[in-house]
Amino acid sequence: MPAIREHDILQYNLDDDDGMPPLVDNPNPPMTFTFFTDMTPITALSADPTIPFETVWENPVPAPASPPEFAELPETQVKFQSPADRASHGKKRDASYIPRPPNAFILFRSSFIRSQQVPEKVEGNHSTLSKIIGKYWKTLPREEREVWEAKALFAQAEHRKRYPDWRFRPGANALAKVKVKDGPQASNRKRTTGQAGRKVKGDPANKKAKSGDERCTVIADLLVEGKTGMDLEDAVRRWEDSTGRGVNSACKDVTGTGKEDGDEQREVAVANEVETQGKVTSTTNTEVPAIIDDPESIRANRYTPPPTRAQTPDGSHDDRFRIPLTAMFKRSLSAPAGQSSLNQISSHHRHNSFDSVFANVSYDIAESPQSACILSLNGDQTEDFSHAVSADTVGCLSPLVLPSVLREGVPARWNDPYNLLETSIGLPPSLDCPGLAYGLHTPTVSPVEDQSFTGYNFCATSADFDKGLPPSYTRDTQNAYCAPKNWAECAALQEQMPIFINEYAGTTNFYDWCTPHYGAYVDGTNGSYHFSGDTDQFGNDYIRVQAGDCLPAVAY
DNA sequence: CTGAATGAAAC
DNA sequence: GTTTCATTCAG
């Protein structure tokens, strides 16, 4: 039975301002996405039972001043820490305490902090950094933000797999809560609450905070412009000089200058202008590493915002984030998945390891043929997604992100949207979670330039990806890049797996999807994930999907 | 322990 | 609608 029909595909509304390239009719050359079966695992689950959760989520980032030799980049990792691990910082937790899975912003923040985009000299206070990161977060292009949401979904899935019985119990887990009972003071503790407690722009009572907010906004805007490290430091310094701000006035409470938000962009512009002027003189400064001014190096190592990237929003709603990816997969994390009530499109049994993470995956296409199966992330067209796919079941899905064309030679960045998963530590061979394969790409080939290329390989680990292509890599080298362990095997068990097609920096928005059964398929024999532009090896028709679509893959 | 951010989930 | 808690660590 078809899992996907062409008419089900929802088209992107390109009227948005997300900077996505215009859709064109199948500009891609045929390509094949291949999974290898003997892969390096993507997730590290500690074999030590005393460690509740230890997962590497992402790849970090080279310090701004790091040389562009990926093989030399430090292997930094963001991971869930056991309570013991963070005994030195933060709250003391019982050894058995199970922390919540991080949300997208928390993951982003962690990565941001780790990447050291903002030098300590610019801002070392984490509260202030949170402000800056929050502002920067709001400027993230939808595609990029979706990646972090996908990571959060992954974290949820992992968390759920590891702690199937865990349940979020506000106030019940923290040891600190015990003290609350003793004194009313703690319970009366003033705090910002939910939406209501957050700062409201224009509120006179927040005037002071607002003025302190200015520097954060400036820094965030500079980050949006791509400035990091020394560049950022210099730009901030110039801004401070040009505006009379004291060093490290930060976003903390400072004596306001009375400037309104409208002045901020101007001030940033001033800072940039000053910087530009300064650069002229700095060319003779031997202190400045040449690499800093090398456009190629900059492109390679730093985030380069899209041309349309906006500065920090002024608070008015931004429709880029109308429909978060997480909404598509929303479900109760803590409650064990119950019996699916939905219309099953298949009677496939689900009894293997897939269940642990993707329990009760089903798609309600029988009753919502027009909207099910393929969900556009475009807000205008996903209003009824809640009944297109069961909200009760989609939360345990793991999106497989299919990257689009990547420019040859462009290395991973700290916030590379493609670089969804990263691990440099070995996975127990017992890892049997095939669905947790976020598609990663090999950055070495360009199908645009090489029409004959058919080897976009998905790799389960980006450890190598982080460092560039392994020396031994060839398209057919299974040991270099491979699919998640047992991916093909599990797929062969006729499981369904959702495919989320992400598009970020590619030159095209279209993928042609071979669907022998109106679903993506996996060749259980060799683990190949077929993805070609014309017709598949069986002569089946293909359907067209596009970035942002989410569809189930039906393995057979 | 608190602050800061955003967001998920529970009240 | 409100509250807690995920991350992080200086203060």
Side-chain angles (χ1 to χ4, degrees):
Chain A
M1 81 264 101
I4 301 167
R5 296 182 188 284
E6 197 162 1
H7 66 263
D8 288 329
I9 301 174
L10 300 175
Q11 297 299 310
Y12 247 28
N13 177 358
L14 295 182
D15 290 336
D16 56 19
D17 59 351
D18 60 7
M20 295 283 283
L23 293 178
V24 293
D25 195 21
N26 189 25
N28 302 26
M31 62 182 82
T32 295
F33 290 75
T34 301
F35 283 100
F36 295 110
T37 56
D38 58 339
M39 30 189 0
T40 307
I42 52 176
T43 300
L45 297 179
S46 172
D48 181 356
T50 64
I51 298 178
F53 200 33
E54 180 183 291
T55 301
V56 177
W57 299 114
E58 55 192 309
N59 70 315
V61 188
S66 296
E69 301 299 331
F70 307 113
E72 297 176 6
L73 294 178
E75 290 188 15
T76 51
Q77 299 172 354
V78 172
K79 61 175 73 172
F80 258 142
Q81 295 176 319
S82 68
D85 287 341
R86 57 181 191 182
S88 60
H89 287 294
K91 301 161 186 159
K92 273 193 174 180
R93 306 279 199 189
D94 185 87
S96 61
Y97 180 78
I98 300 172
R100 304 177 70 180
N103 63 35
F105 174 77
I106 294 299
L107 290 175
F108 176 78
R109 183 194 180 281
S110 296
S111 178
F112 189 99
I113 296 289
R114 181 178 297 275
S115 68
Q116 300 178 3
Q117 305 295 294
V118 177
E120 178 93 15
K121 295 175 68 175
V122 174
E123 188 54 65
N125 184 289
H126 277 249
S127 292
T128 306
L129 281 171
S130 288
K131 280 189 173 184
I132 295 168
I133 297 168
K135 291 175 180 297
Y136 185 63
W137 170 256
K138 285 184 168 68
T139 73
L140 280 187
R142 176 174 51 80
E143 304 87 346
E144 206 167 331
R145 186 162 136 162
E146 284 166 1
V147 169
W148 293 100
E149 290 169 347
K151 290 184 182 185
L153 287 173
F154 182 87
Q156 281 192 353
E158 279 297 288
H159 193 277
R160 180 174 174 73
K161 179 187 179 186
R162 194 156 184 81
Y163 312 109
D165 298 326
W166 179 85
R167 207 169 173 280
F168 177 50
R169 297 185 185 86
N173 285 326
L175 290 180
K177 286 290 107 184
V178 177
K179 295 179 181 176
V180 174
K181 294 188 245 174
D182 300 332
Q185 186 179 5
S187 59
N188 290 338
R189 161 184 153 226
K190 186 185 176 187
R191 57 161 41 254
T192 56
T193 62
Q195 300 297 329
R198 285 174 188 170
K199 292 184 181 64
V200 178
K201 248 190 170 75
D203 183 353
N206 291 326
K207 186 102 178 182
K208 195 175 182 182
K210 180 184 172 186
S211 65
D213 204 52
E214 196 170 342
R215 187 172 184 268
C216 294
T217 300
V218 169
I219 294 174
D221 285 341
L222 290 170
L223 285 166
V224 170
E225 295 171 13
K227 288 186 169 52
T228 61
M230 288 289 291
D231 284 353
L232 179 65
E233 185 178 337
D234 291 343
V236 171
R237 189 184 303 117
R238 292 185 179 100
W239 174 79
E240 288 168 340
D241 291 344
S242 65
T243 59
R245 263 71 171 182
V247 176
N248 273 341
S249 63
C251 303
K252 304 160 192 169
D253 288 347
V254 296
T255 303
T257 59
K259 286 190 171 63
E260 296 300 324
D261 283 355
D263 295 331
E264 293 175 3
Q265 287 192 5
R266 224 171 302 141
E267 289 172 354
V268 172
V270 168
N272 289 333
E273 190 173 338
V274 171
E275 185 203 35
T276 300
Q277 296 167 351
K279 259 185 179 170
V280 174
T281 58
S282 69
T283 54
T284 59
N285 185 353
T286 56
E287 299 287 284
V288 179
I291 188 173
I292 296 300
D293 292 321
D294 177 10
E296 288 305 314
S297 297
I298 292 172
R299 238 193 310 282
N301 290 287
R302 292 189 304 181
Y303 173 68
T304 303
T308 57
R309 177 79 169 272
Q311 288 188 321
T312 50
D314 60 1
S316 59
H317 70 283
D318 188 335
D319 63 0
R320 281 177 299 187
F321 308 133
R322 280 172 299 185
I323 302 296
L325 174 62
T326 44
M328 292 173 52
F329 299 91
K330 193 163 187 169
R331 76 177 296 280
S332 172
L333 171 69
S334 54
Q339 173 63 35
S340 172
S341 58
L342 311 176
N343 311 309
Q344 303 280 335
I345 64 170
S346 95
S347 57
H348 295 160
H349 59 284
R350 294 185 299 274
H351 58 58
N352 65 0
S353 59
F354 218 62
D355 289 356
S356 60
V357 178
F358 308 105
N360 295 326
V361 174
S362 65
Y363 291 85
D364 181 11
I365 62 168
E367 296 203 345
S368 301
Q370 301 300 322
S371 57
C373 288
I374 298 179
L375 302 176
S376 170
L377 289 179
N378 181 284
D380 292 337
Q381 298 170 337
T382 53
E383 291 175 353
D384 59 345
F385 67 86
S386 59
H387 52 76
V389 176
S390 166
D392 187 43
T393 57
V394 293
C396 50
L397 302 182
S398 174
L400 173 65
V401 177
L402 304 182
S404 56
V405 177
L406 189 74
R407 287 161 300 181
E408 180 172 6
V410 176
R413 302 173 306 218
W414 73 271
N415 55 353
D416 194 324
Y418 294 145
N419 215 357
L420 289 178
L421 299 177
E422 177 260 357
T423 179
S424 57
I425 56 181
L427 243 199
S430 59
L431 179 69
D432 58 357
C433 190
L436 297 180
Y438 288 77
L440 297 178
H441 61 289
T442 64
T444 57
V445 286
S446 170
V448 173
E449 297 177 1
D450 181 3
Q451 298 289 320
S452 64
F453 173 70
T454 57
Y456 254 123
N457 293 318
F458 285 81
C459 54
T461 173
S462 59
D464 292 331
F465 177 74
D466 291 342
K467 304 177 181 62
L469 208 63
S472 61
Y473 173 81
T474 66
R475 185 159 61 86
D476 297 321
T477 300
Q478 296 189 5
N479 289 332
Y481 289 92
C482 49
K485 182 175 178 56
N486 295 334
W487 195 90
E489 289 90 327
C490 290
L493 295 178
Q494 298 184 327
E495 290 291 350
Q496 300 173 46
M497 188 174 73
I499 307 294
F500 171 66
I501 299 176
N502 197 2
E503 153 69 36
Y504 176 65
T507 58
T508 176
N509 293 67
F510 281 106
Y511 297 97
D512 287 329
W513 193 278
C514 275
T515 56
H517 295 296
Y518 290 93
Y521 66 96
V522 169
D523 184 333
T525 301
N526 59 22
S528 294
Y529 204 95
H530 296 279
F531 205 61
S532 82
D534 263 321
T535 178
D536 67 7
Q537 56 185 302
F538 307 106
N540 292 296
D541 293 334
Y542 61 84
I543 66 168
R544 176 164 297 167
V545 297
Q546 62 185 78
D549 287 342
C550 183
L551 62 156
V554 179
Y556 68 101

